[in-house]
Amino acid sequence: MYIFPAHSETIVSAFNRKEVIARLNQVTQNVNFLDFDETKKKSHLFNGVVKEDSFRISLVIDKADSFLPLIAGKIESTAAGCILFLKYSLFPGASFFLGFWSVIILAMSLFFFLGKSDPAYGFLCLAIGLGNYLFAWMHFKRKIRKSQSLFYNLLNLQVRD
């Protein structure tokens, strides 16, 4: 189990490694986010980097989304196609802030439990921290399903529920 929201899966594709890389290159753009004119273009499904046997991509979005998954993939060739090892994770900045606020909430609950001897506020802090963490997992999983749907369509796979 992961501490921060994450998901991994293995996909077997009938396409060989070069075909998968070519398909990914068609829908992925390596974006310079400092170039404002380039970021306005909506011609691709994914932003990221595609290499010979790996990739790091994320969905193209219109507005900021803290729960957008970063898809890191590794591709291995087989005799009948290829195997893709995918790991969906939060971006490092989102993981940092989720961890930061989890530590702050835990410290506040310990302060109320041990320092002030006020268990009501301690439990309230724990409930808020747990709610924040569950909210992050739920929205991350929802964003994974959207990314998976587009990725599976790219590889002509059936979308799973």
Side-chain angles (χ1 to χ4, degrees):
M1 180 157 168
Y2 300 104
I3 294 174
F4 296 110
H7 175 74
S8 61
E9 66 181 340
T10 304
I11 298 174
V12 178
S13 175
F15 296 119
N16 65 34
R17 185 180 53 80
K18 289 182 181 181
E19 290 172 323
V20 170
I21 294 295
R23 284 174 175 258
L24 279 171
N25 276 325
Q26 287 176 351
V27 297
T28 304
Q29 181 179 17
N30 190 355
V31 177
N32 176 5
F33 290 102
L34 299 177
D35 184 2
F36 185 70
D37 292 331
E38 189 173 317
T39 58
K40 289 193 288 188
K41 297 177 185 175
K42 305 270 189 214
S43 59
H44 292 82
L45 294 174
F46 297 103
N47 291 326
V49 178
V50 179
K51 297 180 182 176
E52 291 282 329
D53 60 350
S54 64
F55 56 90
R56 290 176 61 86
I57 59 175
S58 66
L59 284 177
V60 172
I61 55 173
D62 294 328
K63 57 184 178 178
D65 188 347
S66 298
F67 306 107
L68 184 70
L70 174 63
I71 306 169
K74 185 178 176 194
I75 305 170
E76 291 187 7
S77 296
T78 64
C82 69
I83 300 174
L84 291 92
F85 300 96
L86 304 177
K87 181 177 182 200
Y88 300 83
S89 62
L90 287 175
F91 278 83
S95 294
F96 170 78
F97 280 110
L98 182 60
F100 174 78
W101 285 111
S102 296
V103 168
I104 294 296
I105 289 291
L106 183 61
M108 287 176 60
S109 65
L110 288 175
F111 171 75
F112 284 118
F113 279 128
L114 303 175
K116 289 290 186 179
S117 297
D118 193 348
Y121 284 127
F123 284 120
L124 178 65
C125 288
L126 284 177
I128 290 170
L130 183 62
N132 184 43
Y133 201 72
L134 291 174
F135 179 84
W137 268 98
M138 286 178 10
H139 285 281
F140 179 72
K141 292 293 184 185
R142 185 173 51 92
K143 295 296 180 174
I144 284 177
R145 285 192 296 274
K146 184 176 180 183
S147 296
Q148 281 176 330
S149 175
L150 290 172
F151 196 81
Y152 291 172
N153 279 341
L154 176 70
L155 297 177
N156 295 333
L157 299 171
Q158 290 183 346
V159 178
R160 293 180 275 173
D161 289 332

